[in-house]
Amino acid sequence: MKNLLLLPLLVAVAFSFSVNAKTIEVEIHGMTCALCVDSLNRKFNKMQGVSKVDVSMKMKKVRLEIDSTSPTIVMIKQAILDTGFMPIKVTLISDDQAKE
Ligand SMILES: [Cu+2]
């Protein structure tokens, strides 16, 4: 019975974690056409913890909205390498804890 009282608390904690997202931008080398953009889009759309993917060939950048804990920068870089591109620079655009 005590567990039932804990449940709402656990749900609240889990919810606050999922809400705690951040946006990062990765400069990518090697994108040359729409198929490159497409393969990166598909790769990140499959990745757990990624809520939004925005690939720009013009800017040579991928912008991702991700959970605060996962995926890590290392995982993101590896995913880019796996897709056949070179991650150049990772920038944290916003952290919702820092948002006003
Ligand atoms: Cu291409």
Side-chain angles (χ1 to χ4, degrees), residues 19-55:
V19 158
N20 193 0
K22 58 187 178 186
T23 305
I24 64 157
E25 215 171 60
V26 191
E27 238 181 274
I28 294 182
H29 189 76
M31 282 195 280
T32 53
C33 70
L35 285 177
C36 298
V37 173
D38 194 48
S39 56
L40 280 163
N41 259 318
R42 272 184 288 139
K43 181 75 176 178
F44 283 116
N45 277 315
K46 275 191 297 189
M47 195 179 254
Q48 209 174 6
V50 177
S51 50
K52 203 176 156 202
V53 184
D54 187 11
V55 183

